[in-house]
Amino acid sequence: SSRSLRKIVVVASIAAGVQFGWALQLSLLTPYVQLLGIPHTWAAFIWLCGPISGMLVQPIVGYHSDRCTSRFGRRRPFIAAGSVAVAVAVFLIGYAADLGHLSGDPLSKSPKPRAIAVFVVGFWILDVANNMLQGPCRALLADLSGANQKKTRIANALYSFFMAVGNVLGFAAGSYTHLYKIFPFSKTTACDVYCANLKSCFFISIVLLSSLTLLALIYVRERPWSPEQRNTAAGDDEEEEEGPSESSPMPFFGEIYAALKNLQRPMWILLLVTCLNWVAWFPFLLFDTDWMGREVYGGDSNGNSDQVRLYDRGVRAGALGLMLNSVVLGFTSLGVEVLARGVGGVKRLWGIVNFILAFCLAMTILVTKMAESHRKFTTVEGGATVTLPPPGGVKAGALALFAVMGIPQAITYSVPFALASIFCNTAGAGQGLSLGVLNLSIVMPQMVVSVASGPWDALFGGGNLPAFVVGAIAAAASGIFALTMLPSPPPDIPSVKGSRSTTAAFH
């Protein structure tokens, strides 16, 4: 019904608020980190907190949201708490320099230890809060879709679309350098223009996320769930939605172990394909702007002033590439259903786009080699040699790769989650826990790539290409497994109220 689709749209829109904050982190945090004087060894530790919190928080929140008996429903309390925690975290990150200065950090000295401590705490809270928000959001979308697979696919495609909207808004806000003038109080003695801009963006982020979350919590009502009744509905006109089987309650880690032990074969193959898929994605997502600055533009973030300037130009061009990527991601997300029908199903679509991803990652080698062979230098006053930016054709080729990668990204952000919901519906498992388990196959590759890509690239003389090559191989393997081993989801079940039998969960 159009009412249930409206509910799905309202819940999916929360993704725009979450992703707006992530885009700001990607585009603005590096200069802020340099302002606070965070040592390089700490930086890796800070970025690792994302996957670690994802590994623990999403399954735990998923498990408890499957069993939540609150009168407000199963998912809504977690979404509300996550939204409040994001606001607290963003405040701590934005005001880290000011709070550090108040606690006794000298203005001239770097690093600023107290400001760094506030920043790290804020960053960890932000990662935990984002995971607390995203898991229940996707689970609520699955609840609203019930056994209707088409609705499940549309819900996840809409979530992916709103992620793209959040990205575009975030990158746009991050690239506008005069935002702080809207909030004049944001610039202080301890907080320069860069820092004030970050603060201003984060104020907008809090307002956007709070508004979207509040709208979803008011508009979408859940009926309270209880173990006795076994069924709950995500609104009066929705399909009946089961809670997990409560036949043998066990502690959380026992539950996770049992969940993994009793996973059906389709889910294991889904986890394998997803894992390989993210081994391919993470090198690019972590180092894409660095690749533009270093390999394509020939700059160096640790070189002389001219090399640093060139590197910054490359990073800005990379940010434009990410914007193009987000636009393509948004449009492709809206067309996932049509594309799936055109190629003969979501499984085949996922396989095909993984080969597109492999091709794009392999093409980074060609773009890099072309940039190197066309590298031009000029001599300035004083006899110093300065590297010139790459010719327009090379830059256009690099930006085209960013844009085309929006197509596989749209599928990665929607299809695996839709398949996890469908497979766990078939197996009678809890949506929250199943999506939490799927998240494990995303965060583990992220941890491996974060830790191993530096030494791996160093083995081959530095640069980002060795990690991209591994990514291309992983994407091709992911495509082959998706096409040959991943089972097609069962045909759509007509949405008849109470039509599904209550089956045993993971126990």
Side-chain angles (χ1 to χ4, degrees), residues 264-277 344-354 411 414-420 422-423 438 441 477-490:
Q264 307 287 323
R265 185 171 180 270
M267 198 69 185
W268 274 116
I269 297 168
L270 176 63
L271 294 181
L272 170 68
V273 176
T274 305
C275 187
L276 285 168
N277 199 198
V346 284
K347 157 195 154 160
R348 195 174 290 174
L349 175 63
W350 196 16
I352 292 166
V353 298
N354 279 339
I411 312 303
S414 58
V415 168
F417 298 95
L419 287 176
I422 291 164
F423 290 155
L438 179 70
S441 68
S478 175
I480 291 165
F481 286 139
L483 290 173
T484 57
M485 288 171 66
L486 191 68
S488 293

mmCIF file of all heavy atoms in Angstrom, residues 264-277 344-354 411 414-420 422-423 438 441 477-490:
data_model
loop_
_atom_site.group_PDB
_atom_site.id
_atom_site.type_symbol
_atom_site.label_atom_id
_atom_site.label_comp_id
_atom_site.label_asym_id
_atom_site.label_seq_id
_atom_site.Cartn_x
_atom_site.Cartn_y
_atom_site.Cartn_z
ATOM 1 N N GLN A 264 22.078 -21.077 7.531
ATOM 2 C CA GLN A 264 21.812 -21.885 6.344
ATOM 3 C C GLN A 264 22.902 -21.617 5.303
ATOM 4 O O GLN A 264 23.538 -20.559 5.306
ATOM 5 C CB GLN A 264 20.442 -21.490 5.759
ATOM 6 C CG GLN A 264 19.296 -21.539 6.751
ATOM 7 C CD GLN A 264 18.881 -22.951 7.099
ATOM 8 O OE1 GLN A 264 18.885 -23.818 6.235
ATOM 9 N NE2 GLN A 264 18.553 -23.191 8.342
ATOM 10 N N ARG A 265 23.060 -22.550 4.358
ATOM 11 C CA ARG A 265 24.100 -22.403 3.327
ATOM 12 C C ARG A 265 23.966 -21.092 2.535
ATOM 13 O O ARG A 265 24.982 -20.422 2.287
ATOM 14 C CB ARG A 265 24.058 -23.612 2.379
ATOM 15 C CG ARG A 265 25.187 -23.601 1.347
ATOM 16 C CD ARG A 265 25.253 -24.918 0.576
ATOM 17 N NE ARG A 265 26.329 -24.860 -0.400
ATOM 18 C CZ ARG A 265 26.164 -24.422 -1.653
ATOM 19 N NH1 ARG A 265 24.981 -24.012 -2.054
ATOM 20 N NH2 ARG A 265 27.186 -24.405 -2.493
ATOM 21 N N PRO A 266 22.736 -20.679 2.120
ATOM 22 C CA PRO A 266 22.639 -19.420 1.376
ATOM 23 C C PRO A 266 23.267 -18.247 2.127
ATOM 24 O O PRO A 266 23.925 -17.400 1.529
ATOM 25 C CB PRO A 266 21.122 -19.201 1.231
ATOM 26 C CG PRO A 266 20.524 -20.554 1.337
ATOM 27 C CD PRO A 266 21.412 -21.334 2.258
ATOM 28 N N MET A 267 23.064 -18.218 3.463
ATOM 29 C CA MET A 267 23.590 -17.099 4.251
ATOM 30 C C MET A 267 25.123 -17.147 4.312
ATOM 31 O O MET A 267 25.784 -16.110 4.235
ATOM 32 C CB MET A 267 22.983 -17.161 5.659
ATOM 33 C CG MET A 267 23.095 -15.881 6.429
ATOM 34 S SD MET A 267 22.081 -14.534 5.783
ATOM 35 C CE MET A 267 22.616 -13.220 6.860
ATOM 36 N N TRP A 268 25.706 -18.341 4.424
ATOM 37 C CA TRP A 268 27.174 -18.474 4.446
ATOM 38 C C TRP A 268 27.770 -17.955 3.143
ATOM 39 O O TRP A 268 28.792 -17.262 3.128
ATOM 40 C CB TRP A 268 27.593 -19.939 4.654
ATOM 41 C CG TRP A 268 27.652 -20.346 6.088
ATOM 42 C CD1 TRP A 268 26.881 -21.277 6.715
ATOM 43 C CD2 TRP A 268 28.532 -19.826 7.102
ATOM 44 N NE1 TRP A 268 27.215 -21.361 8.055
ATOM 45 C CE2 TRP A 268 28.228 -20.496 8.319
ATOM 46 C CE3 TRP A 268 29.542 -18.859 7.100
ATOM 47 C CZ2 TRP A 268 28.903 -20.241 9.508
ATOM 48 C CZ3 TRP A 268 30.214 -18.595 8.293
ATOM 49 C CH2 TRP A 268 29.891 -19.282 9.480
ATOM 50 N N ILE A 269 27.134 -18.335 2.016
ATOM 51 C CA ILE A 269 27.653 -17.896 0.714
ATOM 52 C C ILE A 269 27.494 -16.378 0.594
ATOM 53 O O ILE A 269 28.388 -15.687 0.094
ATOM 54 C CB ILE A 269 26.948 -18.633 -0.450
ATOM 55 C CG1 ILE A 269 27.243 -20.136 -0.347
ATOM 56 C CG2 ILE A 269 27.425 -18.100 -1.801
ATOM 57 C CD1 ILE A 269 26.400 -21.003 -1.238
ATOM 58 N N LEU A 270 26.362 -15.849 1.102
ATOM 59 C CA LEU A 270 26.153 -14.400 1.106
ATOM 60 C C LEU A 270 27.259 -13.703 1.904
ATOM 61 O O LEU A 270 27.807 -12.684 1.474
ATOM 62 C CB LEU A 270 24.778 -14.069 1.699
ATOM 63 C CG LEU A 270 24.455 -12.577 1.854
ATOM 64 C CD1 LEU A 270 24.408 -11.875 0.504
ATOM 65 C CD2 LEU A 270 23.135 -12.370 2.581
ATOM 66 N N LEU A 271 27.624 -14.266 3.066
ATOM 67 C CA LEU A 271 28.693 -13.686 3.890
ATOM 68 C C LEU A 271 30.027 -13.715 3.145
ATOM 69 O O LEU A 271 30.802 -12.750 3.193
ATOM 70 C CB LEU A 271 28.832 -14.440 5.222
ATOM 71 C CG LEU A 271 27.648 -14.345 6.195
ATOM 72 C CD1 LEU A 271 27.949 -15.121 7.479
ATOM 73 C CD2 LEU A 271 27.305 -12.904 6.541
ATOM 74 N N LEU A 272 30.311 -14.818 2.430
ATOM 75 C CA LEU A 272 31.577 -14.950 1.682
ATOM 76 C C LEU A 272 31.638 -13.910 0.561
ATOM 77 O O LEU A 272 32.639 -13.197 0.410
ATOM 78 C CB LEU A 272 31.687 -16.373 1.100
ATOM 79 C CG LEU A 272 32.844 -16.583 0.107
ATOM 80 C CD1 LEU A 272 34.189 -16.486 0.822
ATOM 81 C CD2 LEU A 272 32.730 -17.926 -0.609
ATOM 82 N N VAL A 273 30.553 -13.810 -0.230
ATOM 83 C CA VAL A 273 30.528 -12.862 -1.359
ATOM 84 C C VAL A 273 30.636 -11.425 -0.828
ATOM 85 O O VAL A 273 31.378 -10.603 -1.373
ATOM 86 C CB VAL A 273 29.238 -13.041 -2.201
ATOM 87 C CG1 VAL A 273 29.160 -11.992 -3.310
ATOM 88 C CG2 VAL A 273 29.183 -14.437 -2.813
ATOM 89 N N THR A 274 29.926 -11.129 0.280
ATOM 90 C CA THR A 274 29.967 -9.785 0.876
ATOM 91 C C THR A 274 31.377 -9.459 1.377
ATOM 92 O O THR A 274 31.891 -8.358 1.163
ATOM 93 C CB THR A 274 28.964 -9.683 2.056
ATOM 94 O OG1 THR A 274 27.674 -10.048 1.587
ATOM 95 C CG2 THR A 274 28.908 -8.284 2.624
ATOM 96 N N CYS A 275 32.005 -10.435 2.023
ATOM 97 C CA CYS A 275 33.355 -10.256 2.573
ATOM 98 C C CYS A 275 34.355 -9.904 1.448
ATOM 99 O O CYS A 275 35.096 -8.932 1.542
ATOM 100 C CB CYS A 275 33.774 -11.542 3.296
ATOM 101 S SG CYS A 275 35.319 -11.378 4.182
ATOM 102 N N LEU A 276 34.334 -10.708 0.364
ATOM 103 C CA LEU A 276 35.241 -10.448 -0.769
ATOM 104 C C LEU A 276 34.922 -9.094 -1.406
ATOM 105 O O LEU A 276 35.821 -8.349 -1.810
ATOM 106 C CB LEU A 276 35.096 -11.556 -1.817
ATOM 107 C CG LEU A 276 35.737 -12.902 -1.459
ATOM 108 C CD1 LEU A 276 35.271 -13.988 -2.419
ATOM 109 C CD2 LEU A 276 37.261 -12.794 -1.482
ATOM 110 N N ASN A 277 33.629 -8.787 -1.479
ATOM 111 C CA ASN A 277 33.184 -7.524 -2.048
ATOM 112 C C ASN A 277 33.789 -6.340 -1.298
ATOM 113 O O ASN A 277 34.263 -5.371 -1.903
ATOM 114 C CB ASN A 277 31.654 -7.484 -1.973
ATOM 115 C CG ASN A 277 31.025 -6.478 -2.923
ATOM 116 O OD1 ASN A 277 29.886 -6.100 -2.769
ATOM 117 N ND2 ASN A 277 31.763 -6.040 -3.916
ATOM 118 N N GLY A 344 18.008 -10.368 -15.209
ATOM 119 C CA GLY A 344 17.520 -11.686 -14.786
ATOM 120 C C GLY A 344 17.701 -11.985 -13.312
ATOM 121 O O GLY A 344 18.007 -13.121 -12.941
ATOM 122 N N GLY A 345 17.546 -10.982 -12.445
ATOM 123 C CA GLY A 345 17.572 -11.230 -10.997
ATOM 124 C C GLY A 345 18.682 -10.496 -10.274
ATOM 125 O O GLY A 345 19.695 -10.122 -10.873
ATOM 126 N N VAL A 346 18.473 -10.286 -8.947
ATOM 127 C CA VAL A 346 19.448 -9.508 -8.144
ATOM 128 C C VAL A 346 20.786 -10.226 -8.034
ATOM 129 O O VAL A 346 21.830 -9.597 -8.021
ATOM 130 C CB VAL A 346 18.906 -9.208 -6.722
ATOM 131 C CG1 VAL A 346 17.887 -8.108 -6.747
ATOM 132 C CG2 VAL A 346 18.358 -10.436 -6.044
ATOM 133 N N LYS A 347 20.756 -11.545 -7.980
ATOM 134 C CA LYS A 347 22.006 -12.310 -7.847
ATOM 135 C C LYS A 347 22.908 -12.062 -9.064
ATOM 136 O O LYS A 347 24.105 -11.773 -8.932
ATOM 137 C CB LYS A 347 21.644 -13.787 -7.705
ATOM 138 C CG LYS A 347 22.726 -14.758 -8.086
ATOM 139 C CD LYS A 347 22.177 -16.159 -8.253
ATOM 140 C CE LYS A 347 23.058 -16.938 -9.203
ATOM 141 N NZ LYS A 347 22.923 -18.360 -9.090
ATOM 142 N N ARG A 348 22.317 -12.123 -10.266
ATOM 143 C CA ARG A 348 23.104 -11.912 -11.481
ATOM 144 C C ARG A 348 23.575 -10.457 -11.565
ATOM 145 O O ARG A 348 24.708 -10.186 -11.966
ATOM 146 C CB ARG A 348 22.258 -12.283 -12.707
ATOM 147 C CG ARG A 348 23.097 -12.451 -13.967
ATOM 148 C CD ARG A 348 22.273 -12.947 -15.133
ATOM 149 N NE ARG A 348 21.850 -14.332 -14.949
ATOM 150 C CZ ARG A 348 21.026 -14.964 -15.764
ATOM 151 N NH1 ARG A 348 20.528 -14.319 -16.805
ATOM 152 N NH2 ARG A 348 20.682 -16.214 -15.552
ATOM 153 N N LEU A 349 22.711 -9.529 -11.142
ATOM 154 C CA LEU A 349 23.081 -8.104 -11.147
ATOM 155 C C LEU A 349 24.294 -7.868 -10.258
ATOM 156 O O LEU A 349 25.243 -7.175 -10.639
ATOM 157 C CB LEU A 349 21.890 -7.269 -10.657
ATOM 158 C CG LEU A 349 22.141 -5.762 -10.485
ATOM 159 C CD1 LEU A 349 22.488 -5.103 -11.810
ATOM 160 C CD2 LEU A 349 20.926 -5.069 -9.864
ATOM 161 N N TRP A 350 24.284 -8.449 -9.046
ATOM 162 C CA TRP A 350 25.408 -8.280 -8.111
ATOM 163 C C TRP A 350 26.690 -8.849 -8.708
ATOM 164 O O TRP A 350 27.762 -8.238 -8.605
ATOM 165 C CB TRP A 350 25.059 -8.950 -6.774
ATOM 166 C CG TRP A 350 25.943 -8.529 -5.645
ATOM 167 C CD1 TRP A 350 26.775 -7.451 -5.602
ATOM 168 C CD2 TRP A 350 26.082 -9.175 -4.383
ATOM 169 N NE1 TRP A 350 27.406 -7.384 -4.382
ATOM 170 C CE2 TRP A 350 27.009 -8.431 -3.622
ATOM 171 C CE3 TRP A 350 25.506 -10.309 -3.815
ATOM 172 C CZ2 TRP A 350 27.374 -8.797 -2.327
ATOM 173 C CZ3 TRP A 350 25.876 -10.660 -2.510
ATOM 174 C CH2 TRP A 350 26.793 -9.917 -1.794
ATOM 175 N N GLY A 351 26.591 -10.015 -9.338
ATOM 176 C CA GLY A 351 27.765 -10.616 -9.977
ATOM 177 C C GLY A 351 28.344 -9.708 -11.051
ATOM 178 O O GLY A 351 29.558 -9.457 -11.098
ATOM 179 N N ILE A 352 27.469 -9.169 -11.918
ATOM 180 C CA ILE A 352 27.928 -8.325 -13.038
ATOM 181 C C ILE A 352 28.610 -7.059 -12.529
ATOM 182 O O ILE A 352 29.685 -6.686 -13.000
ATOM 183 C CB ILE A 352 26.736 -7.973 -13.973
ATOM 184 C CG1 ILE A 352 26.247 -9.234 -14.701
ATOM 185 C CG2 ILE A 352 27.125 -6.891 -14.982
ATOM 186 C CD1 ILE A 352 24.897 -9.091 -15.374
ATOM 187 N N VAL A 353 27.986 -6.377 -11.537
ATOM 188 C CA VAL A 353 28.575 -5.112 -11.072
ATOM 189 C C VAL A 353 29.894 -5.347 -10.333
ATOM 190 O O VAL A 353 30.746 -4.459 -10.304
ATOM 191 C CB VAL A 353 27.609 -4.268 -10.198
ATOM 192 C CG1 VAL A 353 26.385 -3.869 -10.992
ATOM 193 C CG2 VAL A 353 27.243 -4.953 -8.905
ATOM 194 N N ASN A 354 30.092 -6.539 -9.773
ATOM 195 C CA ASN A 354 31.384 -6.829 -9.149
ATOM 196 C C ASN A 354 32.493 -6.879 -10.195
ATOM 197 O O ASN A 354 33.639 -6.511 -9.930
ATOM 198 C CB ASN A 354 31.322 -8.136 -8.353
ATOM 199 C CG ASN A 354 30.709 -7.927 -6.982
ATOM 200 O OD1 ASN A 354 30.690 -6.817 -6.468
ATOM 201 N ND2 ASN A 354 30.182 -8.986 -6.391
ATOM 202 N N ILE A 411 24.629 -1.122 -5.662
ATOM 203 C CA ILE A 411 24.229 -2.527 -5.481
ATOM 204 C C ILE A 411 24.783 -3.047 -4.152
ATOM 205 O O ILE A 411 24.098 -3.732 -3.393
ATOM 206 C CB ILE A 411 24.718 -3.410 -6.658
ATOM 207 C CG1 ILE A 411 24.387 -2.762 -8.010
ATOM 208 C CG2 ILE A 411 24.166 -4.822 -6.559
ATOM 209 C CD1 ILE A 411 22.942 -2.444 -8.246
ATOM 210 N N SER A 414 22.724 -2.042 -1.177
ATOM 211 C CA SER A 414 21.322 -2.467 -1.054
ATOM 212 C C SER A 414 21.127 -3.974 -1.174
ATOM 213 O O SER A 414 20.507 -4.582 -0.311
ATOM 214 C CB SER A 414 20.460 -1.740 -2.095
ATOM 215 O OG SER A 414 20.923 -1.996 -3.401
ATOM 216 N N VAL A 415 21.682 -4.606 -2.211
ATOM 217 C CA VAL A 415 21.369 -6.022 -2.489
ATOM 218 C C VAL A 415 21.760 -6.984 -1.361
ATOM 219 O O VAL A 415 20.941 -7.798 -0.945
ATOM 220 C CB VAL A 415 21.973 -6.458 -3.849
ATOM 221 C CG1 VAL A 415 21.922 -7.970 -4.021
ATOM 222 C CG2 VAL A 415 21.222 -5.776 -4.985
ATOM 223 N N PRO A 416 22.996 -6.911 -0.801
ATOM 224 C CA PRO A 416 23.349 -7.869 0.262
ATOM 225 C C PRO A 416 22.394 -7.798 1.452
ATOM 226 O O PRO A 416 22.026 -8.828 2.032
ATOM 227 C CB PRO A 416 24.767 -7.464 0.683
ATOM 228 C CG PRO A 416 25.296 -6.663 -0.436
ATOM 229 C CD PRO A 416 24.131 -6.019 -1.110
ATOM 230 N N PHE A 417 21.969 -6.569 1.830
ATOM 231 C CA PHE A 417 21.082 -6.396 2.985
ATOM 232 C C PHE A 417 19.690 -6.947 2.677
ATOM 233 O O PHE A 417 19.056 -7.566 3.535
ATOM 234 C CB PHE A 417 21.015 -4.918 3.370
ATOM 235 C CG PHE A 417 22.348 -4.350 3.780
ATOM 236 C CD1 PHE A 417 23.147 -3.687 2.865
ATOM 237 C CD2 PHE A 417 22.817 -4.512 5.073
ATOM 238 C CE1 PHE A 417 24.400 -3.191 3.242
ATOM 239 C CE2 PHE A 417 24.048 -4.013 5.459
ATOM 240 C CZ PHE A 417 24.841 -3.354 4.539
ATOM 241 N N ALA A 418 19.229 -6.717 1.442
ATOM 242 C CA ALA A 418 17.924 -7.257 1.045
ATOM 243 C C ALA A 418 17.967 -8.787 1.061
ATOM 244 O O ALA A 418 17.049 -9.439 1.573
ATOM 245 C CB ALA A 418 17.554 -6.748 -0.345
ATOM 246 N N LEU A 419 19.051 -9.363 0.516
ATOM 247 C CA LEU A 419 19.181 -10.834 0.492
ATOM 248 C C LEU A 419 19.254 -11.396 1.907
ATOM 249 O O LEU A 419 18.653 -12.435 2.206
ATOM 250 C CB LEU A 419 20.428 -11.249 -0.311
ATOM 251 C CG LEU A 419 20.329 -11.099 -1.833
ATOM 252 C CD1 LEU A 419 21.661 -11.453 -2.485
ATOM 253 C CD2 LEU A 419 19.226 -11.967 -2.410
ATOM 254 N N ALA A 420 19.986 -10.698 2.817
ATOM 255 C CA ALA A 420 20.088 -11.174 4.212
ATOM 256 C C ALA A 420 18.699 -11.201 4.849
ATOM 257 O O ALA A 420 18.334 -12.166 5.535
ATOM 258 C CB ALA A 420 21.030 -10.273 5.011
ATOM 259 N N ILE A 422 15.801 -11.454 3.286
ATOM 260 C CA ILE A 422 14.990 -12.492 2.628
ATOM 261 C C ILE A 422 15.399 -13.880 3.125
ATOM 262 O O ILE A 422 14.553 -14.701 3.489
ATOM 263 C CB ILE A 422 15.124 -12.386 1.088
ATOM 264 C CG1 ILE A 422 14.440 -11.099 0.591
ATOM 265 C CG2 ILE A 422 14.511 -13.602 0.398
ATOM 266 C CD1 ILE A 422 14.816 -10.677 -0.822
ATOM 267 N N PHE A 423 16.728 -14.141 3.157
ATOM 268 C CA PHE A 423 17.202 -15.471 3.601
ATOM 269 C C PHE A 423 16.828 -15.728 5.054
ATOM 270 O O PHE A 423 16.487 -16.843 5.431
ATOM 271 C CB PHE A 423 18.728 -15.601 3.423
ATOM 272 C CG PHE A 423 19.176 -15.687 1.991
ATOM 273 C CD1 PHE A 423 20.461 -15.305 1.622
ATOM 274 C CD2 PHE A 423 18.324 -16.153 1.000
ATOM 275 C CE1 PHE A 423 20.885 -15.384 0.302
ATOM 276 C CE2 PHE A 423 18.731 -16.230 -0.327
ATOM 277 C CZ PHE A 423 20.012 -15.842 -0.680
ATOM 278 N N LEU A 438 25.636 -10.137 9.197
ATOM 279 C CA LEU A 438 26.090 -9.684 7.873
ATOM 280 C C LEU A 438 27.129 -8.575 8.040
ATOM 281 O O LEU A 438 28.111 -8.508 7.289
ATOM 282 C CB LEU A 438 24.902 -9.168 7.051
ATOM 283 C CG LEU A 438 25.260 -8.641 5.658
ATOM 284 C CD1 LEU A 438 25.689 -9.769 4.727
ATOM 285 C CD2 LEU A 438 24.108 -7.876 5.029
ATOM 286 N N SER A 441 30.779 -9.491 8.164
ATOM 287 C CA SER A 441 31.513 -9.743 6.918
ATOM 288 C C SER A 441 31.880 -8.440 6.213
ATOM 289 O O SER A 441 32.531 -8.456 5.175
ATOM 290 C CB SER A 441 30.687 -10.637 5.983
ATOM 291 O OG SER A 441 29.555 -9.949 5.530
ATOM 292 N N ALA A 477 36.683 -12.218 -7.866
ATOM 293 C CA ALA A 477 36.320 -13.466 -7.154
ATOM 294 C C ALA A 477 34.900 -13.358 -6.599
ATOM 295 O O ALA A 477 34.094 -14.300 -6.699
ATOM 296 C CB ALA A 477 37.318 -13.730 -6.019
ATOM 297 N N SER A 478 34.569 -12.183 -6.048
ATOM 298 C CA SER A 478 33.237 -11.943 -5.507
ATOM 299 C C SER A 478 32.180 -12.096 -6.605
ATOM 300 O O SER A 478 31.123 -12.697 -6.401
ATOM 301 C CB SER A 478 33.198 -10.531 -4.902
ATOM 302 O OG SER A 478 31.923 -10.189 -4.471
ATOM 303 N N GLY A 479 32.482 -11.567 -7.798
ATOM 304 C CA GLY A 479 31.566 -11.678 -8.937
ATOM 305 C C GLY A 479 31.345 -13.117 -9.365
ATOM 306 O O GLY A 479 30.215 -13.547 -9.624
ATOM 307 N N ILE A 480 32.451 -13.890 -9.412
ATOM 308 C CA ILE A 480 32.361 -15.308 -9.824
ATOM 309 C C ILE A 480 31.508 -16.089 -8.830
ATOM 310 O O ILE A 480 30.601 -16.842 -9.209
ATOM 311 C CB ILE A 480 33.785 -15.928 -9.942
ATOM 312 C CG1 ILE A 480 34.525 -15.300 -11.135
ATOM 313 C CG2 ILE A 480 33.709 -17.450 -10.110
ATOM 314 C CD1 ILE A 480 36.022 -15.552 -11.144
ATOM 315 N N PHE A 481 31.765 -15.889 -7.511
ATOM 316 C CA PHE A 481 30.997 -16.617 -6.479
ATOM 317 C C PHE A 481 29.516 -16.215 -6.504
ATOM 318 O O PHE A 481 28.644 -17.055 -6.307
ATOM 319 C CB PHE A 481 31.587 -16.377 -5.084
ATOM 320 C CG PHE A 481 32.877 -17.109 -4.840
ATOM 321 C CD1 PHE A 481 33.931 -16.497 -4.168
ATOM 322 C CD2 PHE A 481 33.050 -18.416 -5.275
ATOM 323 C CE1 PHE A 481 35.130 -17.164 -3.950
ATOM 324 C CE2 PHE A 481 34.235 -19.095 -5.057
ATOM 325 C CZ PHE A 481 35.279 -18.478 -4.401
ATOM 326 N N ALA A 482 29.252 -14.907 -6.729
ATOM 327 C CA ALA A 482 27.858 -14.440 -6.768
ATOM 328 C C ALA A 482 27.104 -15.122 -7.911
ATOM 329 O O ALA A 482 25.956 -15.532 -7.759
ATOM 330 C CB ALA A 482 27.809 -12.928 -6.930
ATOM 331 N N LEU A 483 27.764 -15.260 -9.064
ATOM 332 C CA LEU A 483 27.096 -15.840 -10.234
ATOM 333 C C LEU A 483 26.973 -17.358 -10.143
ATOM 334 O O LEU A 483 25.992 -17.936 -10.614
ATOM 335 C CB LEU A 483 27.854 -15.468 -11.517
ATOM 336 C CG LEU A 483 27.768 -13.994 -11.934
ATOM 337 C CD1 LEU A 483 28.694 -13.708 -13.101
ATOM 338 C CD2 LEU A 483 26.345 -13.601 -12.290
ATOM 339 N N THR A 484 27.983 -18.015 -9.534
ATOM 340 C CA THR A 484 28.001 -19.492 -9.583
ATOM 341 C C THR A 484 27.465 -20.158 -8.322
ATOM 342 O O THR A 484 26.838 -21.208 -8.401
ATOM 343 C CB THR A 484 29.439 -20.006 -9.840
ATOM 344 O OG1 THR A 484 30.296 -19.496 -8.800
ATOM 345 C CG2 THR A 484 29.958 -19.550 -11.197
ATOM 346 N N MET A 485 27.690 -19.560 -7.136
ATOM 347 C CA MET A 485 27.364 -20.251 -5.885
ATOM 348 C C MET A 485 26.182 -19.658 -5.128
ATOM 349 O O MET A 485 25.475 -20.372 -4.426
ATOM 350 C CB MET A 485 28.586 -20.258 -4.952
ATOM 351 C CG MET A 485 29.698 -21.196 -5.429
ATOM 352 S SD MET A 485 31.198 -20.967 -4.444
ATOM 353 C CE MET A 485 30.665 -21.521 -2.844
ATOM 354 N N LEU A 486 25.975 -18.341 -5.265
ATOM 355 C CA LEU A 486 24.916 -17.697 -4.479
ATOM 356 C C LEU A 486 23.550 -18.146 -4.988
ATOM 357 O O LEU A 486 23.261 -18.005 -6.178
ATOM 358 C CB LEU A 486 25.039 -16.172 -4.592
ATOM 359 C CG LEU A 486 24.184 -15.338 -3.646
ATOM 360 C CD1 LEU A 486 24.642 -15.494 -2.200
ATOM 361 C CD2 LEU A 486 24.235 -13.864 -4.036
ATOM 362 N N PRO A 487 22.706 -18.715 -4.102
ATOM 363 C CA PRO A 487 21.385 -19.143 -4.576
ATOM 364 C C PRO A 487 20.484 -17.945 -4.856
ATOM 365 O O PRO A 487 20.592 -16.916 -4.194
ATOM 366 C CB PRO A 487 20.838 -19.985 -3.412
ATOM 367 C CG PRO A 487 21.610 -19.553 -2.221
ATOM 368 C CD PRO A 487 22.910 -18.981 -2.679
ATOM 369 N N SER A 488 19.605 -18.089 -5.841
ATOM 370 C CA SER A 488 18.613 -17.035 -6.095
ATOM 371 C C SER A 488 17.620 -17.044 -4.946
ATOM 372 O O SER A 488 17.279 -18.113 -4.433
ATOM 373 C CB SER A 488 17.872 -17.303 -7.403
ATOM 374 O OG SER A 488 18.771 -17.163 -8.475
ATOM 375 N N PRO A 489 17.142 -15.861 -4.513
ATOM 376 C CA PRO A 489 16.137 -15.851 -3.442
ATOM 377 C C PRO A 489 14.873 -16.566 -3.907
ATOM 378 O O PRO A 489 14.579 -16.584 -5.109
ATOM 379 C CB PRO A 489 15.880 -14.367 -3.194
ATOM 380 C CG PRO A 489 16.427 -13.652 -4.378
ATOM 381 C CD PRO A 489 17.487 -14.513 -4.970
ATOM 382 N N PRO A 490 14.114 -17.176 -2.968
ATOM 383 C CA PRO A 490 12.876 -17.843 -3.355
ATOM 384 C C PRO A 490 11.909 -16.844 -3.976
ATOM 385 O O PRO A 490 12.005 -15.646 -3.715
ATOM 386 C CB PRO A 490 12.326 -18.396 -2.031
ATOM 387 C CG PRO A 490 13.035 -17.630 -0.974
ATOM 388 C CD PRO A 490 14.353 -17.231 -1.527
#
